[in-house]
Amino acid sequence: MGAQQRVFKQKIRSTQSLRKIFKAMELIAASRIQKAIARSQAASPYANALTRAVSAVASESNVDHVLTTESDNVKRAAVLVMGPDRGFAGAYSANLLREAEELVRLLQGEGKHVELFTVGGKAKNYYTFRDRKIEKSWTGISENPTAEVAREIGEALLENFDPESEDSGVDEIYIVFTKFVSSVTHDPEYRRLLPLEVVDADEATTGGQSAGSTDAPAFPLYEFEPSAEAVLDALLPRYIDSRILSALLSASASEQASRQAAMKTATDNADDLIKTYTRLANTARQAEITQELTEIVGGADALAASAAGD
């Protein structure tokens, strides 16, 4: 076998090995998408019921709660960026981080100091590489978020939320995540988490309209015990946790969908490379055969000429 053939054969074997990895990752991602979608749908009834309860308290009482009251002088904002832990997902991480950077520039343009919180190794590495301070990060959870992790994140954000303080705490909290629409559509977006804009039940996972909207459902009259403020104190942290968990689940499904699409493209590209290398190897083999035949014929002619001269 000639040198060129050996090179192409080696490339073919290497590409075939990579193709097996890409195909396996594509199948794994496809199976995990369905699981992530199922988890998101299973969490919806609880999120909807909790949203209706919070909306009822917010709309039927005149309590000025710290989590629902707009600050007159916003100086600091926290941004929670929900990224993936692993790569091989195409432009998923790049699009999400671009959206996060757009939000940060917008807030800084309004004269606000931004504090960063991250989910996933990609977001953490992105800001660490650029020497950007991260207040707190969570890794190893992007593909399988749990209610416990969402509660931990919610508690960490609430600890930093203190609009009445002049020296510490933040006045606003935003989340940046990728909204899962379908297996081929998943869009990065950001939303304000605090001060709270209570959404309608049908928009519990997409962050829609406020409780004062004309499209909000009509609630019966309620009496709150021990008080409306105490009910809000109990409900709002759980409501925030459910919003964070919903965003994490949506981001998880989006990550797997992006990874499946990227690995499908990589598999197709590997197939094309194998075909190209096979064709080049065959061409090299034919050239070597032609060269060998030419050398044989040339040698035979030389021998015949030598014999004729003798």
Side-chain angles (χ1 to χ4, degrees):
M1 182 183 298
Q4 282 190 322
Q5 286 194 64
R6 284 195 294 270
V7 171
F8 289 129
K9 293 294 185 181
Q10 179 61 39
K11 289 184 177 181
I12 290 172
R13 287 193 294 269
S14 299
T15 307
Q16 288 174 336
S17 298
L18 289 174
R19 185 193 180 282
K20 292 179 182 179
I21 297 174
F22 296 151
K23 189 63 177 179
M25 294 182 68
E26 176 191 350
L27 296 175
I28 292 172
S31 65
R32 290 179 176 176
I33 289 174
Q34 301 304 320
K35 181 180 179 181
I37 294 174
R39 290 187 62 199
S40 181
Q41 292 175 344
S44 294
Y46 172 77
N48 291 343
L50 190 56
T51 299
R52 286 193 293 269
V54 174
S55 298
V57 180
S59 61
E60 297 298 325
S61 66
N62 296 320
V63 176
D64 291 331
H65 196 276
V66 66
L67 299 184
T68 59
T69 303
E70 296 281 351
S71 177
D72 296 330
N73 186 20
V74 178
K75 296 182 179 179
R76 298 171 301 276
V79 176
L80 173 65
V81 183
M82 298 180 178
D85 283 300
R86 299 189 298 122
F88 297 98
Y92 174 78
S93 296
N95 292 337
L96 175 75
L97 293 170
R98 188 181 302 114
E99 189 77 6
E101 288 293 84
E102 178 183 337
L103 173 61
V104 170
R105 285 193 297 268
L106 177 64
L107 295 174
Q108 291 176 341
E110 296 174 353
K112 302 173 184 177
H113 173 71
V114 177
E115 296 183 2
L116 291 169
F117 296 79
T118 63
V119 173
K122 289 296 182 179
K124 179 181 178 181
N125 294 339
Y126 176 84
Y127 292 112
T128 300
F129 179 77
R130 287 161 178 78
D131 294 327
R132 306 269 288 277
K133 182 181 179 183
I134 299 176
E135 300 299 327
K136 193 169 183 179
S137 63
W138 294 265
T139 58
I141 62 169
S142 67
E143 295 187 45
N144 188 30
T146 61
E148 290 75 15
V149 172
R151 187 178 304 112
E152 180 183 342
I153 296 173
E155 291 174 352
L157 294 176
L158 285 176
E159 287 177 1
N160 285 270
F161 184 72
D162 188 7
E164 297 180 355
S165 174
E166 294 290 337
D167 302 323
S168 62
V170 296
D171 307 303
E172 292 179 333
I173 297 177
Y174 292 83
I175 58 175
V176 185
F177 69 103
T178 304
K179 176 184 175 183
F180 179 83
V181 180
S182 66
S183 296
V184 296
T185 306
H186 22 86
D187 304 317
E189 59 182 47
Y190 58 83
R191 297 177 188 154
R192 194 179 72 173
L193 186 64
L194 292 176
L196 197 63
E197 294 181 7
V198 180
V199 298
D200 179 72
D202 293 336
E203 302 291 334
T205 59
T206 58
Q209 52 209 346
S210 63
S213 171
T214 56
D215 295 329
F219 296 106
L221 296 177
Y222 289 94
E223 292 184 1
F224 304 105
E225 293 292 343
S227 66
E229 185 172 1
V231 174
L232 280 176
D233 286 338
L235 285 179
L236 285 176
R238 291 175 173 79
Y239 177 77
I240 292 169
D241 295 346
S242 71
R243 291 283 301 274
I244 292 175
L245 179 60
S246 176
L248 288 172
L249 291 173
S250 180
S252 175
S254 301
E255 177 185 350
Q256 299 302 334
S258 297
R259 182 167 292 118
Q260 180 192 19
M263 292 299 99
K264 176 66 167 60
T265 301
T267 302
D268 294 341
N269 290 339
D271 289 335
D272 292 339
L273 277 176
I274 291 172
K275 292 179 182 178
T276 300
Y277 289 145
T278 301
R279 184 169 60 253
L280 291 174
N282 291 337
T283 300
R285 179 173 177 272
Q286 291 172 356
E288 290 174 2
I289 293 174
T290 301
Q291 182 179 358
E292 291 175 357
L293 290 175
T294 301
E295 292 174 352
I296 292 172
V297 172
D301 290 342
L303 289 175
S306 175
D310 292 340

